[in-house]
Amino acid sequence: MHKVNSRFHNVVVVSIVGVMLIPILATFVYSLSSRWGATVLPESYTLDWYRQLLTDPRFLQAFGRSMLICILSLALSVAVILPSIFVVFYYFPRLDKLMSLMILLPFAVPPVVSSVGLLQLYADSDVSIVGTPWILVGTYFTIALPFMYRAISNSFHAINIHDLMDAAHLLGASSLRAFLFIVLPNLKKGLMASLFLSFSFLLGEFVFANILVGTRYETVQIYLYNMRQTSGHFTSALVMTYFLFIFILTWLASRFGRGVQ
């Protein structure tokens, strides 16, 4: 009976995965085809669409902008959230539940509502950041906080921070030195997992980028939206390139996250 249930579960899982892979495989084949009309399979195959994409200066600039915004946002998130979590777990452990609740507030408001609010807030402000990448950095910073807090806090739960800090103090290390050279290395897996996961999520964000900056600072998602009316083969190549990059980031996040409890 157990073998029958196991086989049934395997069949169900394989069937679901197969159904999910069909559109991805179809998009990939379409991106490699030069013509695909009334035939079941493409009439011929080519890599010209990928060659056009990877040599398109507009795509390379959009990809570079997305990378820059994500890196700046995550660097700011690490600089803020890592010391904050350390203070909470070491000095005020009872605040962990409150922090876990408050850190989810960025998801309590829909992106469209948040974007309209940000536009109204900074429209008449002396600080002119609407339409610039800086407003995206600040917005993405808040989006990345929940992902980073959960992954890093799980790493803090997995280590005995008080024993590590007490041992470091007995050996003459200051709190700052103990944090940098003892606590931080033990958080490496959780930190890397949160970075890759947050990066893959931010790279695919469209609503904030479209409303707050639009074509004034074209990112990968805005580029994909603007190129939707071009050749379907070219768009498929763009989607598959983006999907491959996201898949690699997700795989890296999963690999680093295996050791995080």
Side-chain angles (χ1 to χ4, degrees):
M1 186 67 180
H2 176 72
K3 292 183 178 180
V4 174
N5 291 334
S6 178
R7 291 178 180 177
F8 176 75
H9 292 161
N10 292 335
V11 171
V12 172
V13 171
V14 172
S15 300
I16 294 175
V17 173
V19 171
M20 295 176 63
L21 288 178
I22 289 176
I24 299 176
L25 292 176
T27 304
F28 176 67
V29 174
Y30 194 71
S31 69
L32 294 175
S33 62
S34 57
R35 291 186 60 188
W36 193 0
T39 58
V40 177
L41 294 175
E43 300 177 9
S44 59
Y45 297 90
T46 180
L47 293 174
D48 287 343
W49 306 115
Y50 287 94
R51 189 177 300 110
Q52 292 179 22
L53 175 66
L54 298 178
T55 56
D56 183 8
R58 184 178 170 186
F59 167 73
L60 297 177
Q61 291 174 4
F63 185 79
R65 294 188 189 104
S66 295
M67 293 287 291
L68 178 62
I69 291 176
C70 292
I71 291 174
L72 291 178
S73 303
L74 293 179
L76 182 60
S77 299
V78 171
V80 172
I81 201 66
L82 199 56
S84 301
I85 298 178
F86 172 74
V87 171
V88 168
F89 274 81
Y90 186 60
Y91 294 103
F92 309 102
R94 294 183 179 180
L95 294 180
D96 179 38
K97 294 183 179 180
L98 179 62
M99 288 290 294
S100 300
L101 178 62
M102 293 181 60
I103 207 68
L104 297 177
L105 290 179
F107 292 112
V109 183
V112 175
V113 178
S114 301
S115 301
V116 174
L118 288 171
L119 289 176
Q120 293 180 349
L121 179 64
Y122 290 103
D124 300 327
S125 175
D126 295 333
V127 181
S128 180
I129 62 174
V130 175
T132 68
W134 304 114
I135 193 170
L136 276 185
V137 171
T139 305
Y140 285 1
F141 156 73
T142 59
I143 297 176
L145 288 181
F147 295 98
M148 302 200 69
Y149 183 87
R150 293 313 312 166
I152 298 176
S153 63
N154 289 339
S155 296
F156 270 101
H157 282 297
I159 64 175
N160 195 327
I161 185 173
H162 288 89
D163 288 349
L164 290 177
M165 294 295 294
D166 291 343
H169 290 156
L170 288 175
L171 294 175
S174 63
S175 297
L176 178 60
R177 189 175 182 85
F179 171 74
L180 294 176
F181 295 100
I182 297 178
V183 176
L184 194 57
N186 285 278
L187 305 177
K188 179 181 178 180
K189 286 188 176 182
L191 179 60
M192 296 301 296
S194 65
L195 286 174
F196 285 117
L197 182 62
S198 302
F199 195 95
S200 62
F201 180 81
L202 295 180
L203 193 65
E205 201 286 320
F206 172 75
V207 178
F208 285 113
N210 187 41
I211 296 179
L212 296 178
V213 296
T215 56
R216 287 170 289 184
Y217 195 81
E218 192 177 51
T219 60
V220 170
Q221 286 297 318
I222 302 300
Y223 175 83
L224 176 60
Y225 177 77
N226 292 333
M227 300 298 290
R228 70 191 186 281
Q229 300 297 338
T230 59
S231 171
H233 302 279
F234 180 84
T235 307
S236 298
L238 173 58
V239 170
M240 291 308 303
T241 302
Y242 168 77
F243 176 79
L244 177 62
F245 191 74
I246 294 298
F247 176 79
I248 293 174
L249 291 176
T250 306
W251 176 78
L252 289 173
S254 175
R255 180 181 179 185
F256 281 105
R258 288 176 185 172
V260 182
Q261 299 179 358

